[in-house]
Amino acid sequence: VLLIGFIIILLQIPIGLLHGIIFERQSSRNEAVTDVTSKWGESQALIGPVLVVPFKRMLKERRDQDKIVLVEVTEHAIFLPEKLDINTEITSEVRYRGIYDVPVYRAEVKLAGHFDKPDFSDWDVKNHHIMWDKARLSIGISDVQALIGSSHLQWGESSLQLEPGSYHQENPGVHAKVDQSTLADDELPFSLSLTLNGSENFSVAPVGSQTEFSMHSNWPDPSFQGEWLPRDKVTPTENGFDAHWSVSLLGRNYP
């Protein structure tokens, strides 16, 4: 028994050294991945487009000696598209850091769809409080620094220039100012193309009342996560895979 115990303790020495080497290699690989993805692009999450219309609201505020005054604040109404089609072509490739391989991708994303005419009838907001002249179309992009190309935003008959920043400072992305005169139309069509670098994951939010999302990629080993799986069974091959998602308004957890 003592001899067996001594042998077990003795064998812990090479096992401990082996664990040390494994931990060192894992740390080195994580550093290599971080170094590559921080420059190329990290996981990408796409939210939008959404139509943002600021408006003023009068709120009661209690001041000193129980005096109540009206305070004007600016809030944002966010209208989601009625129809949203997203088509994505993802091309994966490998970057190298020392002995480590780091897979990354480039995504060609095409967005199209339409909004209904913005309606404030259920918001209890007076028309003269609505700031139609400051309306904008906003798209959230989690790693906006990896946005390497985009087309002009086609908004009806107009071509709009994208600008940095989304409707909220805490959410990275891009936006475009919308001409007030176009918001009177019953249907507001849009289309846009984006080119994004990224790594590890690519995800979209189904913000449309009806969202259709198609993806083609040369990556042979996909793993599907999130709230919805592809509508049809996906059979990856050595040449990649094709997948399609379809999400309706009733399947979302937000209005």
Side-chain angles (χ1 to χ4, degrees), residues 9-212:
I9 295 175
L10 193 64
L11 290 177
Q12 295 306 308
I13 298 176
I15 292 177
L17 295 175
L18 185 60
H19 279 299
I21 294 175
I22 293 174
F23 178 77
E24 180 184 356
R25 290 293 178 88
Q26 289 177 337
S27 299
S28 298
R29 184 191 180 279
N30 292 337
E31 292 177 0
V33 170
T34 301
D35 181 52
V36 172
T37 58
S38 63
K39 297 177 176 61
W40 175 269
E42 299 179 353
S43 298
Q44 291 288 8
L46 197 65
I47 304 176
V50 298
L51 182 61
V52 183
V53 183
F55 65 94
K56 297 179 181 179
R57 187 186 293 275
M58 306 303 295
L59 299 179
K60 293 181 179 180
E61 183 176 293
R62 187 179 299 275
R63 297 288 177 86
D64 295 338
Q65 300 178 352
D66 294 334
K67 182 180 180 180
I68 298 178
V69 297
L70 292 177
V71 179
E72 185 180 84
V73 298
T74 299
E75 298 183 356
H76 295 84
I78 301 176
F79 297 94
L80 305 182
E82 186 68 19
K83 176 70 173 176
L84 176 61
D85 292 323
I86 306 174
N87 290 285
T88 306
E89 177 83 22
I90 290 186
T91 305
S92 63
E93 51 187 278
V94 177
R95 290 289 185 269
Y96 301 94
R97 281 295 183 274
I99 63 173
Y100 303 104
D101 300 343
V102 183
V104 296
Y105 65 78
R106 176 163 295 173
E108 302 285 346
V109 185
K110 295 181 179 180
L111 305 166
H114 72 269
F115 289 84
D116 286 345
K117 181 180 178 180
D119 183 10
F120 277 86
S121 59
D122 295 332
W123 289 64
D124 192 25
V125 177
K126 297 180 180 179
N127 189 61
H128 65 276
H129 285 163
I130 303 174
M131 305 165 68
W132 295 108
D133 58 324
K134 294 186 177 180
R136 56 194 181 273
L137 207 66
S138 177
I139 303 173
I141 303 173
S142 59
D143 188 6
V144 72
Q145 297 183 22
L147 175 62
I148 62 174
S150 66
S151 66
H152 286 266
L153 173 63
Q154 192 67 32
W155 178 254
E157 300 296 328
S158 304
S159 180
L160 307 180
Q161 179 69 41
L162 291 177
E163 300 180 18
S166 64
Y167 75 95
H168 198 287
Q169 293 182 352
E170 296 180 358
N171 299 329
V174 295
H175 74 277
K177 298 178 181 177
V178 176
D179 188 353
Q180 178 179 349
S181 62
T182 63
L183 299 177
D185 298 336
D186 292 332
E187 186 173 297
L188 308 171
F190 65 88
S191 61
L192 174 67
S193 296
L194 301 172
T195 303
L196 299 167
N197 285 342
S199 57
E200 296 188 358
N201 301 298
F202 181 85
S203 58
V204 300
V207 296
S209 293
Q210 181 64 39
T211 301
E212 303 290 335

